[in-house]
Amino acid sequence: MQLLNPVDQIFLHLEGRHQPMHVGGLQLFSIPEDAGPDYVREVVTKARSFTDVQPPFNRRLKYRFGQPFRVDDESFDLEYHVRHLALPAPGAIRDLLALISMLHGALLDRSRPMWETYIIEGVTGNRFAVYTKFHHSLMDGISAMRVMRRSLNDTPAPGGLCVPWQLPQSDNDKSQGGGQAPWHAAWKAATATGRQVAAMPRVGQQVFSAWQKARHEPDFTAFKQAPMCMLNRRISGSRRFAAQSYSLSRIKKLAKHYDATVNDIVLAMCASALRDYLISQDALPEAPLVAMLPVSLHTADSGTGNKVAMIFASLATDVVDPVERLAAIQHSVDHWKRRYKDMTSEQIMGFTAALSTPAGMNLLTGIAPRRQAFNVVISNVPGPSETLYYGDAKLEGMYPVSIVLDGQALNISLASYRDSLEFGLLACRRSVPSMQHMLQYLSDALDALEQAGDSAAANESVAATGG
Amino acid sequence: MQLLNPVDQIFLHLEGRHQPMHVGGLQLFSIPEDAGPDYVREVVTKARSFTDVQPPFNRRLKYRFGQPFRVDDESFDLEYHVRHLALPAPGAIRDLLALISMLHGALLDRSRPMWETYIIEGVTGNRFAVYTKFHHSLMDGISAMRVMRRSLNDTPAPGGLCVPWQLPQSDNDKSQGGGQAPWHAAWKAATATGRQVAAMPRVGQQVFSAWQKARHEPDFTAFKQAPMCMLNRRISGSRRFAAQSYSLSRIKKLAKHYDATVNDIVLAMCASALRDYLISQDALPEAPLVAMLPVSLHTADSGTGNKVAMIFASLATDVVDPVERLAAIQHSVDHWKRRYKDMTSEQIMGFTAALSTPAGMNLLTGIAPRRQAFNVVISNVPGPSETLYYGDAKLEGMYPVSIVLDGQALNISLASYRDSLEFGLLACRRSVPSMQHMLQYLSDALDALEQAGDSAAANESVAATGG
């Protein structure tokens, strides 16, 4: 029996019927060409055969003296946690996204270990999907992605399916673990990383007084107040999930052309898409939107500490021209980078904690609804660059499915995989109607930046010729 | 804007994440033989084309001054309410029931009109299913079945699909309505009937003092205290739904043989199945289980009043022999029938209200956990005897999906249709593990009563020959 730490308790406390506090991931796999018609059912059967379920997958909540503890679930029911669904023919991606929207809107049963995985057959193009959700008190989004990564292989392994709730069996895994069971070490690392972002509401509370001082310091003036926006309404219990892959090489080419980072181009895409969407809803604020970007301060060897800072970037949604908008975003992000440059990671974390206080207060209590710290979270998690396999099924794409909150009705999360940036957009279906149009707007943004680059190059070429 | 009546408010108040207060129905249809491969998708498209949504289907909750009102949903989203799902091949009934269990466990979004309908393709045997759920504050189970009935035709109507949220269009319907819009009249009738059962917790509260007197009256001694039982635990948020059809002619034949009613045989089946199940769980109480049976006091022309009484029947689960058990159940039910015989319906209702108080108190507040008024609700709704059609798809079966509550972790509801009794069993998946075995035990019970009847007949025949 283990008492939940205060951060995990906050995720339980924040949860309501309109605001589930679970995170998820959607993975899309192709079925091997020589597979039989029962391939996906066999995957389900195989997955359900791993009944030696490891912590935390076998641990449920138990309240004692009003305090939440984690205990082993003595009537663990793997069939409940691993579910087999299908799409109606022809298995359009649109139907898959509708299904994920529905599943992600439903609360987890608190009397059981709070995770569920859905193996979904019948996706168009001879594919199947796996959607997994975890309660945020069990693990955060980044950790969930890492844990899911553990069930994937670097090479196709017919019959060699792994599941995240099972101890790893390869020697490779064991070599990393030192004295302790390797899985536990990985699990500890996975749950530690990224937790700082999650902890912000609470950190915010603690440093409220720090913030009251910080606001009078010169640096704080750079932290602009975000405009009121339809994205910052209260949310309902229904969700819309939209996901799409965008070519990383196209984005990298643009980054090179504009002397920007991949992240700058991603922000410019999001900014354009948000601008187009808000115009379509007749709801574009005059002042530019502010995005909050969680940034990892980890170095390769920095271990498992909680080292995450925040950047509050202007999305320059008031700027009409896409190239000028990109420049304004770069300027805003660079400003933060310069500020962070000479600070130690401890200083950065203290600084971010101080700055994020109004954000935390907004999220947690809504007591300061007129002070909007930021309009939207855009979170970018680096993912694997090599092709991965679930047994012998090739992973075609993996999309984060995050959380929306009262006051934060849209979340944009993305992960890289091979030559793709995989966007997962989650919104309150009611506060942010027809959010799926954002996918087209993201494509449009990419096209617009390319066209502007091409015509600039053509102009330069003309100028060069003319000169 | 319309204030919710107190009974409907209680259904909102009683609801929690582990205790959704919606009722549902599952309908199974066969696809016409000449249908194309997109038949079910066309049904979905057709259903979603009825965008002129009538009350209460277009009405959502809105809180004002802390009070719940019903208002029109100005951003009504039919696609959200009408969903298209599929079963994994080959579409086993087991997978259908698992899906319904999952769907029935999820809360409705309170910011929208609280109903959802799921059109599920790929059911084995060239069938599809429709599962619909309504919040109990919108309508009760019986009303839901009646409203669903309205979307069905007496004859196959290719292209003539109706939906319950649409005004009826046949002249037949109009002729019944008098001056008012016919649909509204039907709706009023539907919501009024059966409401009394639903209202019992509140009625219970009101007549608590009446009960305190009644317990000293001689009649009250007949109201036996139910034993403590595993069916009366607190529930979790996960559900198990099980459904099966049993032949009405077999049951009628047994009723004739044993000089019993169909309802007596149904109770004997439930009693045997419960006994077998509780023995399998090593949890059979020594004292017999008590079932609560809602009984309609309506006559054909009694209009739309709330006239429902309750019978508290012993299920004689302490009796080993199935025939003796049936006799004991008959005796218990007859006792109640005699009691009701010379009372006016008003007297019956007052009497039932008085008797049901501890039950209501149990359900509502759990303040009297040691006084278990009854162990299980068994509810039998008469249904259509003729074959019905949804458009041109033949209705093969319709199963109620009811509610479980803290202290009432199993509900047995059944409806008649053609030559079938359609059982829908709902349980908390955690408190009542492997509840689906009850379906087999119900079959076994039917077999056992038939075998006992046959051997008795054989014995009589031998005796007759010997005499």
Side-chain angles (χ1 to χ4, degrees):
Chain A
M1 208 152 98
Q2 174 200 0
L3 183 66
L4 262 68
N5 71 46
V7 172
D8 291 344
Q9 292 195 32
I10 283 179
F11 290 118
L12 294 175
H13 178 75
L14 278 176
E15 186 164 73
R17 69 182 291 151
H18 70 294
Q19 185 169 289
M21 294 300 288
H22 51 247
V23 292
L26 173 66
Q27 300 170 312
L28 209 54
F29 297 97
S30 56
I31 296 177
E33 295 206 350
D34 57 352
D38 290 335
Y39 181 83
V40 178
R41 187 169 290 274
E42 285 158 13
V43 167
V44 175
T45 305
K46 184 78 195 276
R48 284 177 173 164
S49 73
F50 292 105
T51 52
D52 182 21
V53 178
Q54 298 300 311
F57 292 93
N58 65 345
R59 314 211 76 188
R60 68 178 184 90
L61 283 180
K62 182 170 187 163
Y63 281 83
R64 264 222 157 151
F65 316 114
Q67 296 276 59
F69 290 83
R70 264 192 242 291
V71 297
D72 283 359
D73 183 1
E74 68 290 349
S75 49
F76 186 87
D77 177 357
L78 194 53
E79 206 177 307
Y80 178 82
H81 294 276
V82 180
R83 301 174 182 190
H84 186 189
L85 298 181
L87 293 186
I93 293 297
R94 173 195 156 89
D95 286 333
L96 177 64
L97 297 177
L99 180 61
I100 304 303
S101 303
M102 178 187 118
L103 297 174
H104 203 66
L107 291 165
L108 290 159
D109 183 1
R110 284 203 177 181
S111 67
R112 296 179 187 272
M114 290 201 280
W115 64 279
E116 294 167 359
T117 193
Y118 295 79
I119 301 174
I120 302 158
E121 70 178 58
V123 182
T124 185
N126 200 33
R127 289 175 293 179
F128 70 100
V130 176
Y131 160 74
T132 305
K133 71 195 216 189
F134 299 92
H135 199 269
H136 212 322
S137 68
L138 200 69
M139 60 186 109
D140 60 55
I142 296 172
S143 310
M145 297 269 302
R146 289 186 184 204
V147 168
M148 293 311 292
R149 166 71 182 83
R150 295 189 61 79
S151 62
L152 302 171
N153 311 311
D154 297 338
T155 49
L161 193 74
C162 301
V163 291
W165 57 90
Q166 180 83 350
L167 281 174
Q169 291 172 335
S170 75
D171 289 331
N172 217 10
D173 280 319
K174 279 181 193 140
S175 67
Q176 303 168 354
Q180 214 185 357
W183 196 92
H184 284 283
W187 159 246
K188 210 175 144 192
T191 51
T193 316
R195 179 51 57 81
Q196 186 68 14
V197 179
M200 278 307 166
R202 185 162 161 276
V203 170
Q205 267 190 317
Q206 291 174 335
V207 295
F208 183 67
S209 55
W211 165 72
Q212 286 183 309
K213 288 173 207 158
R215 65 202 288 213
H216 299 298
E217 290 174 14
D219 275 342
F220 192 72
T221 59
F223 174 50
K224 296 212 180 70
Q225 190 168 322
M228 293 300 286
C229 174
M230 63 175 285
L231 303 178
N232 306 108
R233 293 182 193 157
R234 291 184 71 83
I235 58 169
S236 76
S238 48
R239 297 287 169 272
R240 172 85 74 177
F241 178 63
Q244 194 155 309
S245 303
Y246 300 88
S247 154
L248 193 52
S249 20
R250 278 180 75 190
I251 293 170
K252 279 183 176 161
K253 208 169 151 192
L254 281 173
K256 195 172 168 194
H257 176 85
Y258 288 109
D259 193 19
T261 65
V262 163
N263 208 49
D264 293 337
I265 304 295
V266 164
L267 290 179
M269 287 171 68
C270 294
S272 284
L274 285 165
R275 184 182 145 86
D276 288 351
Y277 173 77
L278 290 170
I279 288 173
S280 78
Q281 298 288 320
D282 200 17
L284 182 68
E286 278 187 32
L289 295 193
V290 175
M292 192 275 266
L293 324 172
V295 182
S296 171
L297 300 179
H298 278 266
T299 53
D301 58 340
S302 68
T304 63
N306 296 318
K307 295 188 179 169
V308 178
M310 290 179 180
I311 284 180
F312 295 90
S314 165
L315 291 181
T317 44
D318 54 335
V319 177
V320 178
D321 181 75
V323 179
E324 286 175 32
R325 197 181 310 125
L326 170 61
I329 292 168
Q330 277 182 280
H331 178 80
S332 170
V333 173
D334 286 347
H335 175 92
W336 284 86
K337 283 190 190 157
R338 278 198 308 278
R339 173 163 302 163
Y340 282 160
K341 200 178 168 197
D342 297 321
M343 291 165 81
T344 65
S345 57
E346 281 67 30
Q347 283 173 326
I348 295 172
M349 286 171 65
F351 181 76
T352 319
L355 285 190
S356 66
T357 305
M361 296 304 279
N362 266 9
L363 291 183
L364 190 61
T365 66
I367 59 166
R370 300 208 148 269
R371 174 176 288 280
Q372 190 66 45
F374 52 89
N375 299 104
V376 61
V377 175
I378 302 178
S379 142
N380 186 348
V381 184
S385 53
E386 73 282 19
T387 301
L388 297 177
Y389 298 85
Y390 183 52
D392 55 350
K394 189 174 15 165
L395 177 67
E396 301 286 354
M398 49 191 301
Y399 309 89
V401 192
S402 192
I403 286 182
V404 292
L405 300 163
D406 276 333
Q408 293 292 335
L410 173 68
N411 174 291
I412 302 178
S413 291
L414 52 147
S416 57
Y417 173 56
R418 298 193 300 181
D419 183 44
S420 291
L421 274 180
E422 319 273 62
F423 280 66
L425 280 66
L426 186 75
C428 164
R429 187 177 168 122
R430 198 171 176 91
S431 315
V432 192
S434 305
M435 179 276 280
Q436 68 277 19
H437 296 164
M438 289 272 296
L439 297 180
Q440 184 57 48
Y441 298 144
L442 284 167
S443 281
D444 294 347
L446 210 46
D447 293 345
L449 283 173
E450 281 176 345
Q451 281 161 18
D454 289 349
S455 59
N459 284 346
E460 269 171 37
S461 152
V462 168
T465 316
Chain B
M1 208 151 95
Q2 173 200 0
L3 183 65
L4 262 69
N5 72 46
V7 173
D8 292 344
Q9 291 195 31
I10 284 179
F11 290 119
L12 294 176
H13 179 75
L14 277 177
E15 186 163 73
R17 68 181 290 151
H18 71 294
Q19 186 169 287
M21 293 301 288
H22 51 248
V23 292
L26 173 65
Q27 300 170 312
L28 209 53
F29 297 98
S30 57
I31 297 176
E33 294 205 351
D34 57 350
D38 289 335
Y39 181 83
V40 178
R41 188 170 289 276
E42 284 157 13
V43 167
V44 175
T45 305
K46 184 80 196 276
R48 284 179 172 163
S49 73
F50 293 104
T51 52
D52 183 21
V53 179
Q54 298 300 311
F57 292 93
N58 64 347
R59 312 210 78 189
R60 68 178 184 90
L61 283 181
K62 183 171 186 161
Y63 281 84
R64 264 224 159 148
F65 315 115
Q67 295 277 58
F69 290 84
R70 265 192 242 288
V71 298
D72 283 359
D73 182 3
E74 68 290 351
S75 49
F76 186 86
D77 177 358
L78 194 52
E79 205 177 310
Y80 178 82
H81 294 276
V82 181
R83 300 173 183 191
H84 184 189
L85 297 181
L87 292 186
I93 293 297
R94 173 194 157 88
D95 286 333
L96 177 64
L97 297 177
L99 180 61
I100 304 305
S101 303
M102 179 187 117
L103 297 174
H104 204 66
L107 292 164
L108 290 160
D109 183 1
R110 285 205 175 178
S111 66
R112 298 177 186 272
M114 289 200 282
W115 64 279
E116 295 167 359
T117 191
Y118 295 79
I119 302 175
I120 302 159
E121 71 177 58
V123 182
T124 187
N126 200 32
R127 290 175 292 179
F128 69 100
V130 176
Y131 160 73
T132 305
K133 69 194 216 190
F134 299 93
H135 199 270
H136 212 320
S137 68
L138 200 70
M139 61 186 108
D140 60 54
I142 297 171
S143 310
M145 298 265 309
R146 290 188 184 202
V147 168
M148 293 311 293
R149 166 71 182 84
R150 295 189 60 80
S151 61
L152 302 172
N153 311 312
D154 296 339
T155 50
L161 193 73
C162 301
V163 290
W165 56 91
Q166 180 83 350
L167 282 174
Q169 292 171 335
S170 75
D171 289 333
N172 216 10
D173 279 319
K174 278 181 194 138
S175 67
Q176 303 169 356
Q180 213 183 359
W183 196 93
H184 284 283
W187 160 245
K188 211 175 144 192
T191 50
T193 315
R195 179 49 60 80
Q196 186 68 14
V197 179
M200 277 309 164
R202 185 162 161 276
V203 171
Q205 266 189 318
Q206 290 174 336
V207 294
F208 183 66
S209 55
W211 165 70
Q212 285 183 310
K213 288 174 209 157
R215 64 202 290 211
H216 298 297
E217 291 174 13
D219 275 343
F220 192 73
T221 58
F223 174 51
K224 294 213 179 71
Q225 188 167 323
M228 294 301 286
C229 175
M230 64 174 287
L231 303 179
N232 307 109
R233 293 184 193 158
R234 292 184 69 84
I235 59 169
S236 75
S238 48
R239 298 287 169 270
R240 171 85 73 179
F241 178 63
Q244 195 155 308
S245 302
Y246 299 88
S247 154
L248 193 51
S249 20
R250 279 180 75 190
I251 292 170
K252 279 182 176 159
K253 207 169 152 192
L254 282 173
K256 195 172 171 196
H257 175 86
Y258 287 109
D259 193 19
T261 66
V262 163
N263 209 48
D264 294 337
I265 304 293
V266 164
L267 290 179
M269 286 172 67
C270 294
S272 283
L274 284 165
R275 183 181 145 86
D276 288 351
Y277 173 77
L278 291 171
I279 288 173
S280 79
Q281 298 288 319
D282 199 16
L284 181 69
E286 277 186 34
L289 296 193
V290 176
M292 190 275 264
L293 325 172
V295 183
S296 171
L297 300 179
H298 279 265
T299 53
D301 58 340
S302 67
T304 63
N306 296 319
K307 295 190 179 169
V308 177
M310 288 178 184
I311 285 180
F312 296 89
S314 166
L315 292 181
T317 45
D318 55 333
V319 177
V320 178
D321 181 75
V323 179
E324 287 175 30
R325 197 183 309 127
L326 169 61
I329 292 167
Q330 279 183 277
H331 178 81
S332 169
V333 173
D334 286 347
H335 175 93
W336 283 87
K337 283 190 189 153
R338 279 197 308 278
R339 172 162 302 161
Y340 282 160
K341 201 178 169 194
D342 296 322
M343 292 166 80
T344 66
S345 57
E346 281 67 28
Q347 284 172 322
I348 295 172
M349 287 171 64
F351 181 77
T352 318
L355 284 190
S356 66
T357 306
M361 296 304 277
N362 265 9
L363 291 182
L364 189 62
T365 66
I367 59 166
R370 300 209 147 268
R371 175 175 290 278
Q372 191 65 46
F374 52 90
N375 299 105
V376 63
V377 175
I378 301 177
S379 145
N380 187 349
V381 184
S385 53
E386 73 281 20
T387 300
L388 297 176
Y389 299 85
Y390 182 52
D392 54 351
K394 186 172 18 161
L395 178 67
E396 300 286 353
M398 49 191 301
Y399 309 89
V401 192
S402 192
I403 285 182
V404 292
L405 299 163
D406 276 332
Q408 291 293 335
L410 173 68
N411 175 291
I412 302 178
S413 289
L414 52 148
S416 56
Y417 172 56
R418 298 192 300 179
D419 183 43
S420 290
L421 274 180
E422 320 271 62
F423 280 65
L425 280 65
L426 186 74
C428 165
R429 186 176 170 124
R430 198 173 177 87
S431 314
V432 192
S434 306
M435 179 277 280
Q436 69 278 18
H437 296 164
M438 290 272 295
L439 296 180
Q440 184 57 49
Y441 297 145
L442 284 166
S443 281
D444 294 348
L446 210 46
D447 292 345
L449 283 172
E450 281 176 345
Q451 281 161 19
D454 289 350
S455 60
N459 283 346
E460 272 171 35
S461 152
V462 168
T465 315

